[in-house]
Amino acid sequence: RIKKLLADNGYTVKDVQGVMGFEKPQAIYKWISGKSLPSLDNLVILTRLLHTSIENIIVLDEGVLFFGVGLNYRFNDKRHIFM
C-alpha cells in the first residue's frame, strides 16, 4: 500500500529517504515489500507526508497485522498471544 500512496502523492523512495533522514533506502524498500513495518514515529511521519491515516498504510487481515503465514498463525493461535 505504501508504494501506491507514494505514487498517488508524487513521491519517490528517495524523497521519503530524505524526509526520514535515512542514509540508505533499504528500510523503505522493506516497508514497501511488507518485510517490515515502519516504527510508530515513522508511521506518523508517513501519515502526514502521504495525507492518510495509519490504518490506510498498514494492511490488516481480519483485524490482525499480516506479515506472512507464520506470524499470522501465531497471532491467531491463542496459546501464543501472551507468551
Side-chain angles (χ1 to χ4, degrees), residues 2-80:
I2 292 173
K3 185 176 184 176
K4 181 180 179 345
L5 290 167
L6 289 175
D8 289 350
N9 285 278
Y11 292 114
T12 66
V13 169
K14 187 136 182 100
D15 295 330
V16 177
Q17 178 185 348
V19 169
M20 299 287 182
F22 296 160
E23 281 188 39
K24 299 180 180 182
Q26 280 81 0
I28 301 160
Y29 286 116
K30 286 181 182 179
W31 302 342
I32 290 170
S33 69
K35 292 180 181 176
S36 70
L37 281 175
S39 68
L40 184 55
D41 292 345
N42 288 335
L43 274 171
V44 170
I45 293 168
L46 283 174
T47 62
R48 295 196 177 169
L49 180 69
L50 302 174
H51 310 286
T52 192
S53 65
I54 289 176
E55 293 84 8
N56 199 34
I57 292 174
I58 297 175
V59 177
L60 298 175
D61 179 27
E62 295 180 23
V64 176
L65 288 175
F66 182 75
F67 300 107
V69 175
L71 188 58
N72 195 26
Y73 170 80
R74 284 181 38 217
F75 273 103
N76 287 325
D77 184 351
K78 293 183 182 6
R79 294 173 296 161
H80 298 289

